Every structure is written in structure tokens, then in C-alpha cells.
Amino acid sequence: MRRKLLKEVRVSGLITSLFLGFSAVAVTTVLPEAAAAQISGRFSAILVSGNQNVPDQTVASLSGLDLSQTLTPADINAAIRRLVATGLFSDVDIRAAAGRLVIAVVENPIISVVNFEGNRKMSDSDLAAIVTSAPRRPLDRPTIEADARRIAEAYRQQSRYSATVTPLVIPLADGRSNLVFQIAEGHTEQIQAINFVGNRSFTDRRLRRAVGSSESGLLNFLYNTDNYSPERAAADRQALLKFYRDRGFPDVEVTSGLSEFALDRNGFYLTYSIREGASYDFGEASVSTALAGVNAADFNRFVRLRPGRKYNGSKVEKVVEAIEEEATRLGFPFLRAIPRVTKNEADGTVDINFELVNGNRLYVERIDIRGNSQTLDRVIRREFDMAEGDAFNPRKVRQAESALRALRFFSDLRITTRQGSTPESVILDVQVADKATGSFNFGANYSTSTGVSGTFSVTESNFLGRGQRFNLELSYGETNKVASFGFTEPKFLGRDLAAGFDVYYRQRNRTESTFQTTDIGFSPSMAFPLSDRTRASFSYDLISEEIRDTIPGTTSPIIIAEQGTVVRSALRFSLSHDHRNSASDPSAGYIVRLGAEYAGLGGTANYAKATARAKGYFNLFDEAVIFSADLEGGALFSLGSGGSRVTDRFFLGGDSFRGFKVGGLGPRDNDGGSVNDSLGGNFYAVARIDASFPIGLPKELGIRGGLFIDAGSVWGMDGTPVGASGPIDTTARLRASAGFALYWDTPIGPLVFNWANPFLSVAGDETESFSVSVKTSF
């Protein structure tokens, strides 16, 4: 059909060219002013001519003419304008004849098909969602022009400023026409250079790391941050302001962000002009108010700005948020905290007084949501801590926008405000564009140890547009078989309560020891916040766990004695407190996580576990070098007579202890011959110190270097275990390793390449010098 339409355009060249002459520029309908000026008086009837699809009565009604009144030339001209404005007619004329009004119209053709030609970077369905012209609607020239501008704007958002859109109309029989938008997509305009003027405290290189845009580099086909867009340039200016204000410069100004087109017309040069101002530390902080009924002392506990610390705009903003949230709780929804800054030039400090004042009494009239073709309205609305009729709070709007972006459901998100039906009301316009939130994976592999295996998995984080998450995994091999399904509702009962469950069947060949396991389990769970930074979770495990396929003479007698099936009925609890400056890429702050597990609510397993982990971050040279210190440990206590099993105990190695294989350290049964099994331990402790730093490669590559040291041990078993090698050494023996790492933020996920040297080990430990893992931000 598409090829046929293009052929018809070429054959009908003259007709099409004439029409394009009108559709390429704004069309102004010339009203028959001279004729209309002669028409006045009273008329007995309205006659309609020239119409084929629109009924006579509809034409007369749309004209708005009232025959019971004396009509003036102005009334006639207004009727013509109303009819033309409907978009149904390309020409309208009104004349008088024998005491009657005759409305002569020329109808616009009806659109039969809307097609798009030349588009490769945007699909037909994406473009169809942009335009308003559609089949079975009148073909209106101004509407077509507006659609062409919308398409061009969509390509501009992709940094394709040379894209052109040409509308073509192919007349058909019976008053119908096909509409074709011919698109020349052009190429993306990239950023050739990013320059800064006026920066004295920070280098150009450091400021380039602070902005979202980047200069064109080697991997343009993988990244798009080097594609120019005015929106990204505006976001860069805000990022620079925040960067300076969070580092002690409250007076900073980014006065311009110039976008100069390169002489070869192949990109842009961005120049940001910066006036830094002086650097300050925090001085005294206080709260005051002149409002009756408001006690400033009720808000003093929220002012947590330490004198002598570097001024930080984000911390000031957090104090404002805390005060206004407390004010709302106390029944003052319109109270606003205005930070009044007093500079002390002599000692380089700023005193901040948070003045409590009455803000504008604005209410939310409604929240209009557009563009969500998949995500349900309620999924978007539930991220707003306000509803129709509530007091309008700009800070809550920003928080809702941040929460919506964190969902990662949308490729585009904009929240704007406009006046409602009264001066005291506000309408929130939420414009979104859904993006794909699911993934489908299928693979097959072969190895001499596991044979042929295949995997199939489906994950979706926005199931049916409801914001729900599910995952399905099927894996089948000669030794490993997995079938699992998980589902999570993140806003159970409309509250900030995540509830879900996992059902699974797993057969695993344990690589650290010579046995296999079969697990059949069901695990419901729930998680909820205790505060802005603290979260708790509960889960219950009901699992049939079998240790099988042990080999006498090859498997440790200790594991053979533990062979068989147990039913584990366990309750797990986790508590985490996250005080990092970023959950995905932290450079300061800390996170603490505590865990507890009790197995003994029925079933045959009977034990208690406790784990704890704390990790802190700090940086040097303005986040060029980021350090982290990580301390982790756990303990297992058997409550029954049978003692712990190998599947209950702790193991270290691999990602958890670099330089050693999984289960490569700790209690082991190794007779120097065929038996060499890791047994795990009832206790473990490990400390990790990491440093990451740039290694001189372009930022868009996303590659940083790192150094690390790991030290710790796994120890302890119930009783005095005796294996094929005799009594097992279960004492705590320190191990340590150090090495170099490469951190690479790839389009498929963050990867870590580790080269480790286990410089402190025990005879029998299994080491490895190189490993690849997925980066985690704990």
C-alpha cells in the first residue's frame, strides 16, 4: 500500500504540487467581506448547498444564525468564521436569495489512510500517537500543518534538527483522500565541545562530570548524552547551580549556556558562563515567625545544620521540607519556611533563619495525565502526596516527579502547572511517554561439566500498566533445572506497602562441593518504610530442601551424613537504614542492614541466624576519588539436636571475598585425594576497603579504576566434625587479598573486572586471580 501511494503521488504530480503549495504555508481563508457586507435584515429560512457528508441541519446549526432576530453583516461574517473553524469546510459563502439565506459550502475531503514514509528512528505507531489527523476525520489543512510541526518537534527531541516533514495528499474517489507524511530524518547534531568560563574553584574536567551532557566520543553508537537538546542544556545549568551550592557557594550564578552551531554544521559548542561568588561555611541557624498560633520552637529540632561545616544547599532544602511537612501535620498546610541568609564576610560564614510565613492559598483543582498509553492513571496519581482539593505544595510536586522518574516507566516526563477555574486553584498537567519495561531472554549453552542447558526468562516491572512486577524463569540442563515465578505489588492496598510472593523449583549442582540440591519453595513477603531512610521487611519461607547425589569416596562423609530432605519453615526479618547521597552511585554517607531468621515454626529444620552489614562512603578531590569501607558478619545457632546442615551454613568467596573461589575458604574436608569439599561455617566476618578513581578515559566510556583489600574468615561447626581427612579445622583463620578493579558502566549493566592477589591464605584454600561480576551499590 505504501509503495502504491508513493507512485500515485508521482503520477499526480501537478495536483499534488498545487495542494502542497497550500499545505506548506499557513492557509488564511478569505472571507467574502464585500458580499457579506450587503446582507442584513430578517430571513425566513436557511438553505444549504454543496454539502455531501454533513447534513443541512448540522450546517445551519454550526453557523449559529438565529432567524428570529434581525441579522447584521457582522452576524453573517461571524457565521462564516464559525463554519470555517469547524475544519469541515475548505470554503464557505453566504448570500441572500428571495428572502432566504443560502449557505454554500465546499467540504473538506475525509481522510481514508494516514501513512508515514521515510521514518526509521521512530515507528509508525509512535508517529500516529503524535498527530491528530486520523482516518474518517475531515482533512483540514491547518491541522495537517500542525501535525507536521509536531513530528518535526519529536525529531528535534532526538537532536535531529535537520529533519524535514512534508505532507502529501492523494485525492481518491467519493470525497476521500489519503494523507502521507514524507519524512527526511537527517542526522543527529552532537556536542563537539563543552566549555566553562569564570570557574576558578573547579576545573573544566570536574564540571563536565557534573553535567548530563557530554562531548562526542568513541562510543556514540552506545550513548546519546552527546546529542544536543535545549532541555538537556537547561538541566545542565540547574545541575551546575546545585553542584556549586552543595559545595559552599550560595551566590553562584550560571548566567548563560550558549549553544553555537559548528561552522561545518555538524554539531554544537556549549559554553556555560559561571560567576562563583565567595565560599561560605554554616554559621548559626534558627527558626522564627510572626504568625499568631504558630510556635517556632516546635520546629527547632528539624534544623540540623552544624556550624563550621561547608554550606550545602541540599541540606538547607531538606530542612525546609522537614519544617513544611511538620507544619502540614500540625494543621498549617499553607505555611512556608523561607531561609533568610545573613553573610558574615569577616569569618566566611552564613547565618540562616528559617522564617515561617503564610504562603499563597492555592488548592489543587485536578491532576490531568496525558500520554500514558500503557500505565494506568492511578499508578501515576499514587506517587503524588496530594489529591484534588488539597493544598498546593510545589515541593510535593517535585517529590512526586522524582518518585515517578525512579519508577523507570517513562521515556519522557514533564509536570507543569496552570491556573484553574479560579485564581485560588491550580491544575497539574502530567505529560508522560511510556517505554518498554519488560524483557525476554532465551539462551542455550554447552559445557563439558554441565552438558547442554537452555534458559528462558520473562521479567516485567509494569505489568499491564499497574506498576506490578513479575518474573518467570525456566532453565533446563543435565544438572541444573530451575522453574520460578515471582510477583510483587509495590503499593498493596494503595499504601506504601510492597507485598509479593515467590514460587520455585530448583535443582542445583553445587560447585563448591560434590553434591546436588533440590528445593521446592513458597515465599510470601512484605516490606514497608519506617521513615524516609529506614525500611523493614518480613518474609516467610516454606521449603522442601533435599541434599542428594552424594558420591561415597568423593563426597565428604559429613555431607553424606546430612543427605536427605528437610522441611524448612522459617520467618525472616530485615531492617535497613540508608543515609547515602545516592542509592545507585553513592559517594558519601552510609547504609546499615540487619537481618534475622528463625527456622522452627513447624518443619524439621530448627536454627536461628543473624546477619549485619554496614558500609560507609566518603570522597576526596571533589568526588574524583571515592572510598568505601564495608564490614559484614553473621552467626548461625542450631536449636535442635541434629546440628546445622551444609545448606544452612555461610560461605565466602567469589563476589563476597575477591581472590578466592566460591566456598574457597573456611572449613574444608580435603584428604589430598578424591575428597575436596567446602563445608561452610556457622560464623563469618569480612571487611572490605575499596577506592575508585578516574583513569584518564573519556567520561562517556563509563570506565573507572579501583583498588581493594578484603580480609576475613569463615569458621565454626557444630560438635567436632570428622571427615575423610580426619578432624576438620573449624577455627577462625584470617585470610586477606588485595587487587585492582575496573568498573565499567555498560549499556547492559555495570560490570566489575577484578584482578586479586590472595596474599594471606591457609593450605587447602581455593583461590582465583581474576573474576567478573555485576556491580552492586551496597
Side-chain angles (χ1 to χ4, degrees), residues 298-340:
D298 293 338
F299 304 92
N300 285 331
R301 69 181 187 276
F302 300 107
V303 183
R304 300 170 181 171
L305 305 177
R306 296 183 182 179
R309 294 289 184 90
K310 186 70 69 178
Y311 174 88
N312 187 303
S314 293
K315 291 183 179 180
V316 174
E317 184 71 12
K318 288 185 180 298
V319 172
V320 172
E321 291 177 7
I323 290 176
E324 293 185 357
E325 287 179 3
E326 178 67 7
T328 301
R329 191 186 69 82
L330 294 176
F332 304 101
F334 298 105
L335 187 144
R336 297 290 177 262
I338 308 299
R340 308 294 187 188

Side-chain angles (χ1 to χ4, degrees), residues 613-677:
R613 186 175 183 184
K615 189 171 185 178
Y617 299 84
F618 67 97
N619 62 83
L620 296 175
F621 309 114
D622 198 27
E623 298 185 2
V625 180
I626 299 173
F627 291 92
S628 67
D630 187 1
L631 183 62
E632 182 181 0
L636 167 68
F637 302 96
S638 299
L639 304 179
S641 59
S644 64
R645 300 211 316 167
V646 64
T647 51
D648 302 330
R649 293 190 285 266
F650 299 108
F651 291 83
L652 284 180
D655 297 343
S656 61
F657 202 127
R658 291 157 291 191
F660 293 85
K661 293 182 179 180
V662 175
L665 64 150
R668 175 177 293 274
D669 189 2
N670 185 353
D671 65 356
S674 59
V675 176
N676 184 15
D677 283 342

Side-chain angles (χ1 to χ4, degrees), residues 35 38-49 56 60 65 67 71 76 93-104:
Q38 304 301 319
I39 301 176
S40 63
R42 299 177 70 92
F43 300 90
S44 60
I46 294 178
L47 301 179
V48 180
S49 65
D56 292 359
L65 293 172
L67 297 186
L71 300 180
I76 302 302
D93 185 22
I94 299 179
R95 60 183 182 273
R100 294 177 292 181
L101 282 179
V102 178
I103 302 178

Side-chain angles (χ1 to χ4, degrees), residues 111-153:
I111 299 175
S112 177
V113 175
V114 178
N115 275 340
F116 305 93
E117 298 288 347
N119 53 304
R120 294 181 178 84
K121 300 301 180 181
M122 297 187 69
S123 66
D124 287 3
S125 59
D126 291 337
L127 294 173
I130 293 173
V131 302
T132 58
S133 299
R136 296 184 297 278
R137 291 185 180 179
L139 193 151
D140 180 55
R141 293 172 182 175
T143 301
I144 294 174
E145 291 177 15
D147 287 341
R149 289 193 295 270
R150 291 189 187 96
I151 295 174
E153 173 64 19

Side-chain angles (χ1 to χ4, degrees), residues 441-474:
N441 296 295
F442 176 80
N445 60 69
Y446 171 81
S447 71
T448 55
S449 59
T450 62
V452 179
S453 63
T455 60
F456 167 84
S457 66
V458 178
T459 60
E460 173 60 65
S461 59
N462 189 15
F463 181 58
L464 298 178
R466 301 173 181 270
Q468 300 163 335
R469 299 188 294 269
F470 85 86
N471 62 278
L472 172 66
E473 179 184 359
L474 300 175

Side-chain angles (χ1 to χ4, degrees), residues 249-268:
F249 295 86
D251 300 326
V252 64
E253 295 179 5
V254 180
T255 57
S256 62
L258 303 179
S259 307
E260 301 175 357
F261 205 55
L263 294 177
D264 58 5
R265 302 191 64 79
N266 195 36
F268 287 86

